[in-house]
Amino acid sequence: MDALDAVLTKIEVREFAPEDVPYYIQKKVLEAGRMAGSAYNRQPWIFILINDKELLEKVAALAPTGPYISKAAFAVAVFVDPRNPFYIIDGTRAVQNMMIAGWSLGLGSVWVNGLEREKITELLKAPKDFYLLTVIPFGKPAKKLKGKKKRKPLNEIAFLNYYSNELK
Ligand SMILES: Cc1cc2nc3c(=O)[nH]c(=O)nc-3n(C[C@H](O)[C@H](O)[C@H](O)COP(=O)(O)O)c2cc1C
């Protein structure tokens, strides 16, 4: 799958097959995050790869809008340094890289935002002065994906040269 295909077809996946994902694939996902560009190339992030089943369940229990973390083959907790003014932007670029790379490797994932951040930070023994941006569960999708995205039409959100000048 090339990069454009991955971007155009990727949807969020919340149901995972009970299948392990080889460790080298898990690390490829991390590598994709590591390669993201960041402001001044400061790379203000820490990734924690979670592939211990019991730990995944503990994290899921602290994720009110992400119970599916418990069924993931692995998850990545992304921490960013709030002393860097671009921490959210930089961290998000790394996350998107990981999600798209995962998709191209046959893995679904979803951004989970509803998190008990302090408790997860403590559980994972992460530095307290870092902000837990998200925990992303990854795994083989449980169901065949339809891949139909609901998005605003291009003409509604993009213009040619000047705002409100329609794209042809
Ligand atoms: C900042 C952010 C927070 C999100 N939080 C959650 C979440 O807590 N739980 C969840 O199931 N999905 C969450 N999502 C996923 C969105 O619901 C999803 O990206 C959107 O509905 C588009 O889904 P699609 O690509 O499958 O069409 C979040 C996405 C973003 C970008």
Side-chain angles (χ1 to χ4, degrees), residues 10-12 14 65-66 68 110-114 149-151:
K10 188 210 165 290
I11 51 172
E12 308 284 66
R14 297 179 176 85
T65 65
Y68 6 87
V110 58
W111 184 299
V112 174
N113 185 58
K149 297 204 203 210
K150 274 197 216 144
R151 295 294 189 266

Side-chain angles (χ1 to χ4, degrees), residues 8-160:
L8 295 182
T9 60
K10 188 210 165 290
I11 51 172
E12 308 284 66
V13 170
R14 297 179 176 85
E15 285 178 70
F16 302 105
E19 237 178 89
D20 284 337
V21 170
Y23 186 55
Y24 80 92
I25 298 276
Q26 300 178 21
K27 281 181 68 182
K28 276 193 180 182
V29 168
L30 294 178
E31 274 293 77
R34 185 170 79 91
M35 288 299 157
S38 57
Y40 303 103
N41 200 22
R42 293 230 174 99
Q43 307 160 58
W45 45 59
I46 293 169
F47 310 139
I48 299 187
L49 174 66
I50 309 165
N51 61 11
D52 177 278
K53 299 285 171 213
E54 268 179 38
L55 191 54
L56 283 167
E57 277 172 24
K58 284 184 188 164
V59 173
L62 297 171
T65 65
Y68 6 87
I69 292 169
S70 67
K71 299 280 192 293
F74 67 98
V76 181
V78 176
F79 292 86
V80 280
D81 186 345
R83 288 161 295 201
N84 179 312
F86 303 102
Y87 69 118
I88 301 286
I89 296 170
D90 291 343
T92 303
R93 290 191 79 187
V95 171
Q96 185 72 0
N97 266 17
M98 288 192 261
M99 295 176 93
I100 294 293
W103 186 255
S104 77
L105 295 164
L107 302 177
S109 61
V110 58
W111 184 299
V112 174
N113 185 58
L115 300 163
E116 294 196 47
R117 287 182 161 79
E118 279 181 22
K119 288 185 183 165
I120 296 174
T121 301
E122 202 175 339
L123 177 68
L124 301 179
K125 303 178 181 172
K128 287 194 175 52
D129 49 358
F130 273 57
Y131 173 73
L132 175 57
L133 181 62
T134 177
V135 176
I136 308 284
F138 288 90
K140 293 259 164 66
K143 294 191 216 152
K144 207 165 162 22
L145 301 163
K146 293 208 184 93
K148 188 81 189 132
K149 297 204 203 210
K150 274 197 216 144
R151 295 294 189 266
K152 294 178 182 176
L154 190 61
N155 274 329
E156 202 180 295
I157 51 127
F159 306 96
L160 182 62

